[in-house]
Amino acid sequence: MEIGIVGLPNVGKSTLFNALTKAGAASSNYPFTTIDPNVGVVPIPDKRLDALFEIFKPPKKVPSYIKFVDIAGLVKGASKGEGLGNKFLANIREVDAIVQVVRVFDNPDVVHVLGEVDPIRDIEVIETELMLADLEAVDKMIDKNTGAVRSGAKEAKDRQEKLEVIRKLLAEGKPAKEAGYTAEEVRDFNLLTVKPVFYVANTSETPNAAVQARLRDFAKSRGAILVEISAKIESEIIELPDEERALFLKDLGEEYTGLEKMILAGQKLLDLISFFTAGSEDEVRAWSLRRGLKAPQAAGRIHTDFEKGFIRAEVYSFEDIMKYRDEKTLKEKGLIRSEGKEYVMRDGDVCFFKFNV
């Protein structure tokens, strides 16, 4: 699952991305991969994985991961190819969700490309460019589909009706997601404004309280996730040794760093749950899965053969293992369930899959 980091120039987007990639490499227990200069795979923080590690004490623990893509900075006119517009739009089409980084800090040494600091205006600039790009794409799809509609093909007619509804919305300055179609219904259109979005406010040690308050109200009015962090401060926190970082967070009364909150917001936005495999001599591991998927698909996250030859899953809850501390007691109390192909996975399930290839 990929989340694209977007924003105007000079909002701290690259600083945030660089801090994220350092976060991914911070623990020796977590393998880290940089696929290319602007893509980083970072672990999803989960205290439950740490707790399972303490119970089973295997040689290693392995988190689930999420991929962040640092997309080229956007400028006004990107939909018409201004700046790196074409590259920006091509990259953003490939991701599953978008995080918009906006600036809420004042710094005379870092000039804002649009003058004064106004995060709501910045969000609207980005959204306008995405809608204009989608409008152009939809117009092309409508023209291309017209011949098939004339031939009487029902599938083409249905497609045209969806495109016309979306075109009307875009022309009114509204995103395609307001059409109410499911992601599956419009997947082939590959539109930018159907992707889920959350906002990251890049603050400072002396934030502009009035600007932040307006942004909070804006995000609330949209029902959107807003994470407020200072990319500069997070870059410094991530350099601390693990123990010092833990003490620092404890002094602040925080459980997670700002970067970790951002990663967790991405997990929530993508509607991912976590299940675990544990009890082996080698490792405890967390796995991400789309909410609503079933046990065979969860098994397939581990290995495609597990899904093809799925027989059943032995499942117990994280809460139960935390209460009784060992699998033997769970078996004695009948708390380990045998689930079949129709079982819908739950967040926090601890699983052992049985399969036959």
Side-chain angles (χ1 to χ4, degrees), residues 52-53 55-62 276-285 287 316 327 350-352:
L52 290 171
F53 183 70
I55 290 173
F56 291 101
K57 302 189 187 318
K60 63 179 179 178
K61 60 180 174 181
V62 184
F276 306 92
T277 50
S280 75
E281 295 180 358
D282 299 327
E283 66 181 25
V284 293
R285 183 186 287 254
W287 305 87
Y316 57 84
E327 291 181 338
V350 185
C351 305
F352 175 78

Side-chain angles (χ1 to χ4, degrees), residues 158-223:
D158 291 344
R159 180 181 176 87
Q160 200 81 341
E161 286 176 358
K162 289 189 184 78
L163 287 168
E164 292 289 359
V165 169
I166 291 170
R167 190 194 184 287
K168 185 173 185 295
L169 280 170
L170 292 168
E172 293 171 352
K174 299 174 183 177
K177 68 180 71 173
E178 290 194 16
Y181 297 121
T182 65
E184 196 59 41
E185 286 177 305
V186 294
R187 190 176 303 281
D188 290 347
F189 300 162
N190 198 17
L191 298 174
L192 302 169
T193 59
V194 299
K195 297 181 187 293
V197 178
F198 76 99
Y199 307 120
V200 168
N202 188 10
T203 69
S204 66
E205 293 179 358
T206 54
N208 187 320
V211 171
Q212 279 186 264
R214 284 196 301 112
L215 181 57
R216 287 179 196 135
D217 290 341
F218 175 82
K220 186 177 179 180
S221 70
R222 291 190 164 196

Side-chain angles (χ1 to χ4, degrees), residues 143 145-153 156-157 160:
D143 289 343
N145 195 52
T146 300
V149 172
R150 289 194 188 118
S151 71
K157 185 179 178 183
Q160 200 81 341

Side-chain angles (χ1 to χ4, degrees), residues 122-320:
D122 294 354
I123 289 170
E124 290 172 345
V125 166
I126 292 171
E127 289 179 342
T128 297
E129 295 302 325
L130 298 185
M131 284 187 284
L132 289 171
D134 272 355
L135 183 58
E136 183 179 348
V138 166
D139 281 339
K140 289 178 180 177
M141 283 186 273
I142 288 173
D143 289 343
K144 188 176 180 180
N145 195 52
T146 300
V149 172
R150 289 194 188 118
S151 71
K154 184 179 183 306
E155 187 177 323
K157 185 179 178 183
D158 291 344
R159 180 181 176 87
Q160 200 81 341
E161 286 176 358
K162 289 189 184 78
L163 287 168
E164 292 289 359
V165 169
I166 291 170
R167 190 194 184 287
K168 185 173 185 295
L169 280 170
L170 292 168
E172 293 171 352
K174 299 174 183 177
K177 68 180 71 173
E178 290 194 16
Y181 297 121
T182 65
E184 196 59 41
E185 286 177 305
V186 294
R187 190 176 303 281
D188 290 347
F189 300 162
N190 198 17
L191 298 174
L192 302 169
T193 59
V194 299
K195 297 181 187 293
V197 178
F198 76 99
Y199 307 120
V200 168
N202 188 10
T203 69
S204 66
E205 293 179 358
T206 54
N208 187 320
V211 171
Q212 279 186 264
R214 284 196 301 112
L215 181 57
R216 287 179 196 135
D217 290 341
F218 175 82
K220 186 177 179 180
S221 70
R222 291 190 164 196
I225 299 170
L226 172 66
V227 180
E228 299 178 43
I229 62 178
S230 165
K232 182 177 180 296
I233 294 172
E234 291 294 324
S235 299
E236 295 167 358
I237 292 173
I238 210 62
E239 297 289 351
L240 296 173
D242 289 351
E243 289 184 7
E244 288 185 33
R245 193 183 317 139
L247 287 172
F248 179 80
L249 288 174
K250 187 176 180 180
D251 289 342
L252 291 177
E254 295 283 355
E255 188 176 5
Y256 294 107
T257 67
L259 290 173
E260 289 172 333
K261 289 177 183 177
M262 177 178 165
I263 296 165
L264 290 169
Q267 182 187 35
K268 182 178 179 181
L269 189 72
L270 293 170
D271 202 19
L272 301 177
I273 64 169
S274 291
F275 70 94
F276 306 92
T277 50
S280 75
E281 295 180 358
D282 299 327
E283 66 181 25
V284 293
R285 183 186 287 254
W287 305 87
S288 289
L289 188 72
R290 284 275 196 186
R291 189 181 304 277
L293 295 185
K294 297 178 180 179
Q297 294 162 305
R301 288 284 291 111
I302 299 171
H303 197 289
T304 53
D305 286 347
F306 285 24
E307 182 173 3
K308 292 174 185 175
F310 179 89
I311 299 173
R312 67 180 186 273
E314 292 185 354
V315 184
Y316 57 84
S317 72
F318 171 77
E319 289 76 17
D320 285 340

